[in-house]
Amino acid sequence: MTAIRSAEPHWRTDDLYPALDSVQYEAALGELGATLTALGELFDRLGIVKGRQSADPQADFEQALTALNALLELHKPVQAYVYAFFSTDSRSDLAQARLSELTTLMQPLSTLSTRFEAWLGGLDLDALRAACELARAHSYTLERARYAAQHQMSPGEEELASELASSGPEAWNKLHGNLSSLLMGEVNGERLPITAIRNLASDPSAATRAEAYRTELKLWQGAEISLAAALNGIKGRVNVLNRRRGYTGAVQPTLMGNSIDVQTLSAMQRAVTSSFPDFRRYFAAKARKLGHADGRLPWSDLFAPVGTAGRAWSYPEATEFVEQSFRSYSERLGDFAARAFREDWLDVPAREGKRGGAFCMGWQGGDSRILLNYNQSLDSVSTLAHELGHGYHNLCLKERTPLQAQTPMTLAETASIFCETIIQGEALRGVQGDERLYVLETSLMGQAQVVVDIHSRFLFESAVFEAREKRDLSPAELCALMEDAQRATYGDALSSLHPYMWAVKPHYYGSSFYNYPYTFGLLFGLGLYARYRQEPGSFRARYDELLSRTGMGDAATLAAEFGIDTRDEAFWVSSLDVIRANIAEYEGLVG
C-alpha cells in the first residue's frame, strides 16, 4: 500500500527536462525541428503528394510511415512538458512563449500529414496490406487516410488552412483558456479563482451554492464579448472548411474521427432521449430531498450533496481508497495507481492561473500526467479514478506506435468510465441509509451530466453551427440557444438554467462535438463492466488487449469481440437500465 502523504502534490516535470529554459529542453526542441525538416525532405524525395504513382509503393510507404511515427514519438514528451506549465500557470510568459514557439514549429506537420493521407488515398491499399506487414499493422490508419483523402481540398488550400490554424482556431482556443483561468470573484467575502468558485457548486451550504452560482454567471457575463468572438471565429471556420471539403454537415467529419458510424450515433441517441423521463424522476427526488416544494431544482442545487457523506475525503485518503478499490479488480491496476501516486504524476490543488476541470495526458513511454482541481468530495475521488483510467489506457498503449495509439474520444473514455464504475461499486459496499443515498447521488449526478447535459451540449452546438452559417451570434443569442438546449433535455425538472455553459466548457473551443463521445464512453464502459461481472476470469486479459487496440479498429468491430452490437439500440438501453435501477433505489431512499 502506498504511504499516505499529507500534502496535495503538484506534478513532477524534471524527469523530462530541468526547466523550460534549460539546455536540455532546447536540445529536445532542436532535435524535434530537425526531424520535422527531415520528414519534409523525405516526403519530397519520395514524391508523397496527391495523385503521384510510386514505382515501389511498399518501400516508399515503409520509409514514410516509419519516419512519421518517429517524429510523433519525439513530439509527445516535448508537447506534454510545455503544456504541463501552460495549464497550471496561465500567467507565465515563458510557458505562453514556449507553447506558441512549439505550435509554430510543428505547423508543417499538419501539411505533411495531409499530404501523406492524400498520397495513401491514391494507392491500392488492399494490395499494399497483402504485401506489407507494416501496412497490415496499420490497417485502420490506412482506412482513415482513405476516408480523409476523399474529403480534402486542393493541396494548396489544405496547406493554407494548416498554416492559418495557429492564428485562427488555436489562438481563439488559447484566448478562452487564458481569459477563463484569470477570472476571479468574491464568495462569502473571499476572493477566489473561477475554478474554486465552480467547485462551490457542491458546497453543503445552499446559500453558498446560490452565491457562487450568481457570482459565476456575473464573471462569465463580464467575459462574454471576447468568448463569443472566439466561439464565432472557431465555428465559422469549421463551417467553411467542412463545406469546401464536401461534408454534408458539422457532425459528419466527427464520425470517422470517433471511429463510429451514423447508425451507432443514432441508436445511442434514441436510447438517450428515451431515458430523459427517468433522469427527471431523479431530479425531482433530489429536489424533494433538498426541500423544494415545487419539486424542481435550481441550477445552483444540481450538484448539491445529498445524503450523509460520513466523511470528507482528504486527498491522501482518496489515493488510499482508489488504490484499494483498483486492487479489487486486478493487482496490475492497483500497482499502476500506486506508482502514479508515488512518482507524483498528479497536479492536485486548485489555484489561481490553473485551468479548470481535469485531464490526463501522455508523458513518456507508458507514463502520464494528470491534472485535478481537487475538493474533498466523493465526486473528486471519482474524478481521480476517472483520470487514472485514462492513464492506465496510456500504459496499455505503450507498445503501440504513435499512429496505432491514436485513440478516438469514444473509446478514449472506456478505461476511465470502467475505473469510475469500480470506485462507485466499492463506495456502495456495506453502506446503508443516508450514506448509501450519498454514494448513489454522487454516481447519478455524474451520469446525469454525461447523458442529459451532454445531449444538451450536442443540441446547442448543432444549433450554433446552423445559425453560424448566416452570421455571427451575439452573446445573448448564444445564451438563448444554450437555454433552449437545456430545456429540451432537462424538461421542467429545473427552475433555473445556466445560460453561460457555452463559455464554461473549453471543449467548444478545441474541437467539434466534443460531447457525444462522453455518452458513448459512459454507456460502452457500463456495458463492458457488465461483461466483466459475467466472466471475470477471462475478461481482464481481453480488456487490456482491447485498450491496446483502440486506435486500430472502429468501435463496432472492437465491441463485437465482447458480443456488443453498437448499432443496436437495445445495447444502449441495457446500459441505461443500470442507471435506471440506481434511480429507482435513489427514489426509494428519498421516499
Side-chain angles (χ1 to χ4, degrees):
M1 183 59 58
T2 304
I4 294 179
R5 299 161 62 178
S6 59
E8 293 185 354
H10 296 194
W11 50 27
R12 181 184 179 190
T13 58
D14 63 358
D15 56 331
L16 278 181
Y17 317 107
L20 276 174
D21 55 359
S22 65
V23 173
Q24 292 89 334
Y25 174 79
E26 289 283 0
L29 193 67
E31 182 184 9
L32 180 62
T35 305
L36 178 59
T37 299
L39 181 68
E41 292 170 349
L42 175 67
F43 277 22
D44 290 342
R45 189 164 64 251
L46 297 178
I48 306 295
V49 292
K50 184 176 184 177
R52 191 259 182 186
Q53 297 299 312
S54 172
D56 189 348
Q58 179 179 342
D60 291 351
F61 167 77
E62 290 175 343
Q63 285 190 69
L65 187 86
T66 300
L68 180 56
N69 269 324
L71 174 70
L72 295 173
E73 196 68 54
L74 284 176
H75 179 234
K76 174 183 170 182
V78 176
Q79 170 77 18
Y81 185 76
V82 173
Y83 200 71
F85 290 90
F86 174 79
S87 60
T88 53
D89 187 3
S90 62
R91 300 162 302 179
S92 169
D93 291 340
L94 180 59
Q96 296 273 355
R98 285 304 199 193
L99 182 61
S100 176
E101 176 184 49
L102 180 61
T103 301
T104 303
L105 175 70
M106 297 304 296
Q107 274 181 357
L109 176 59
S110 177
T111 300
L112 293 174
S113 297
T114 301
R115 282 175 57 183
F116 188 52
E117 290 173 343
W119 178 73
L120 286 174
L123 299 183
D124 184 340
L125 297 184
D126 294 333
L128 183 63
R129 276 187 288 246
C132 176
E133 174 59 35
L134 188 62
R136 289 193 293 275
H138 290 79
S139 181
Y140 193 58
T141 300
L142 300 185
E143 286 304 314
R144 286 189 294 200
R146 192 203 312 254
Y147 180 82
Q150 296 169 354
H151 291 277
Q152 283 193 7
M153 301 180 290
S154 70
E157 289 172 317
E158 289 290 350
E159 184 173 359
L160 178 61
S162 174
E163 289 182 1
L164 291 175
S166 63
S167 58
E170 292 171 9
W172 288 123
N173 186 27
K174 186 187 295 184
L175 172 66
H176 174 271
N178 290 343
L179 184 57
S180 60
S181 68
L182 295 175
L183 294 177
M184 299 283 292
E186 189 172 296
V187 179
N188 292 338
E190 184 178 3
R191 187 165 172 78
L192 298 169
I194 189 69
T195 52
I197 292 171
R198 283 186 53 76
N199 278 344
L200 292 175
S202 59
D203 192 88
S205 166
T208 297
R209 294 193 302 270
E211 185 180 350
Y213 167 74
R214 291 190 297 270
T215 301
E216 183 195 348
L217 291 187
K218 289 178 182 177
L219 291 174
W220 293 121
Q221 185 178 25
E224 66 178 4
I225 299 297
S226 298
L227 296 182
L231 194 62
N232 276 299
I234 290 168
K235 300 311 181 189
R237 178 182 185 272
V238 171
N239 273 341
V240 170
L241 291 179
N242 283 343
R243 189 166 56 249
R244 297 295 295 269
R245 288 171 175 154
Y247 290 112
T248 57
V251 175
Q252 186 189 357
T254 72
L255 295 175
M256 174 58 79
N258 283 304
S259 297
I260 65 171
D261 52 29
V262 68
Q263 292 87 352
T264 293
L265 179 62
S266 297
M268 182 187 76
Q269 292 190 328
R270 286 195 303 271
V272 162
T273 302
S274 70
S275 74
F276 290 161
D278 302 291
F279 280 99
R280 290 166 191 164
R281 286 176 20 233
Y282 153 66
F283 295 132
K286 182 170 184 174
R288 292 196 303 272
K289 183 67 174 177
L290 293 174
H292 297 292
D294 62 355
R296 303 170 70 204
L297 277 175
W299 190 279
S300 60
D301 280 353
L302 200 55
F303 305 99
V306 168
T308 303
R311 62 185 296 183
W313 291 86
S314 71
Y315 179 70
E317 290 169 331
T319 61
E320 182 178 22
F321 175 68
V322 167
E323 183 186 335
Q324 286 178 330
S325 299
F326 281 7
R327 291 192 189 281
S328 73
Y329 169 74
S330 76
E331 286 300 315
R332 184 179 190 227
L333 185 59
D335 288 344
F336 164 79
R339 182 177 169 227
F341 300 142
R342 183 176 63 250
E343 297 182 2
D344 286 335
W345 289 10
L346 297 98
D347 194 282
V348 178
R351 57 190 183 274
E352 186 178 355
K354 181 179 178 179
R355 61 156 283 178
F359 68 80
C360 173
M361 62 180 174
W363 191 246
Q364 61 177 339
D367 296 357
S368 298
R369 289 297 181 268
I370 293 169
L371 180 141
L372 303 174
N373 281 277
Y374 189 80
N375 60 46
Q376 297 189 354
S377 67
L378 185 59
D379 185 51
S380 270
V381 179
S382 185
T383 299
L384 170 61
H386 180 104
E387 299 304 334
L388 283 169
H390 285 302
Y392 186 73
H393 195 167
N394 288 339
L395 175 66
C396 291
L397 289 167
K398 180 180 179 180
E399 302 305 321
R400 301 300 185 188
T401 68
L403 288 171
Q404 290 173 328
Q406 288 181 345
T407 296
M409 256 289 293
T410 42
L411 297 173
E413 293 301 314
T414 301
S416 55
I417 296 298
F418 194 91
C419 285
E420 265 194 89
T421 307
I422 292 173
I423 289 296
Q424 290 157 3
E426 289 298 308
L428 280 170
R429 191 184 302 275
V431 296
Q432 301 297 327
D434 261 12
E435 192 171 354
R436 188 171 185 85
L437 181 63
Y438 171 78
V439 177
L440 283 171
E441 163 63 25
T442 301
S443 175
L444 288 171
M445 181 172 59
Q447 290 164 344
Q449 283 292 293
V450 175
V451 177
V452 182
D453 198 73
I454 283 290
H455 195 65
S456 77
R457 300 180 212 174
F458 177 85
L459 295 177
F460 166 78
E461 193 162 7
S462 299
V464 169
F465 272 120
E466 182 179 354
R468 187 61 186 82
E469 286 282 11
K470 301 174 183 176
R471 58 176 173 79
D472 283 359
L473 299 172
S474 69
E477 289 173 312
L478 292 170
C479 288
L481 289 177
M482 192 79 257
E483 290 183 324
D484 287 345
Q486 288 168 355
R487 290 189 192 96
T489 53
Y490 287 97
D492 61 358
L494 304 183
S495 58
S496 59
L497 302 172
H498 195 311
Y500 284 99
M501 195 53 64
W502 60 269
V504 175
K505 296 299 179 182
H507 302 147
Y508 293 126
Y509 302 82
S511 60
S512 299
F513 292 102
Y514 199 88
N515 37 55
Y516 71 78
Y518 278 107
T519 309
F520 183 105
L522 169 66
L523 301 182
F524 185 59
L526 288 175
L528 279 177
Y529 192 79
R531 300 304 193 273
Y532 158 63
R533 301 293 292 179
Q534 294 166 4
E535 306 170 359
S538 62
F539 179 87
R540 294 179 183 87
R542 293 166 61 211
Y543 175 66
D544 284 2
E545 175 66 13
L546 168 71
L547 294 180
S548 78
R549 296 178 55 230
T550 47
M552 299 173 67
D554 63 83
T557 301
L558 295 173
E561 297 177 12
F562 288 85
I564 294 171
D565 183 358
T566 62
R567 301 181 181 99
D568 185 356
E569 185 179 345
F571 164 69
W572 304 105
V573 170
S574 70
S575 292
L576 286 160
D577 283 343
V578 176
I579 303 174
R580 288 186 177 97
N582 287 341
I583 291 173
E585 183 179 2
Y586 184 94
E587 287 181 299
L589 289 170
V590 167

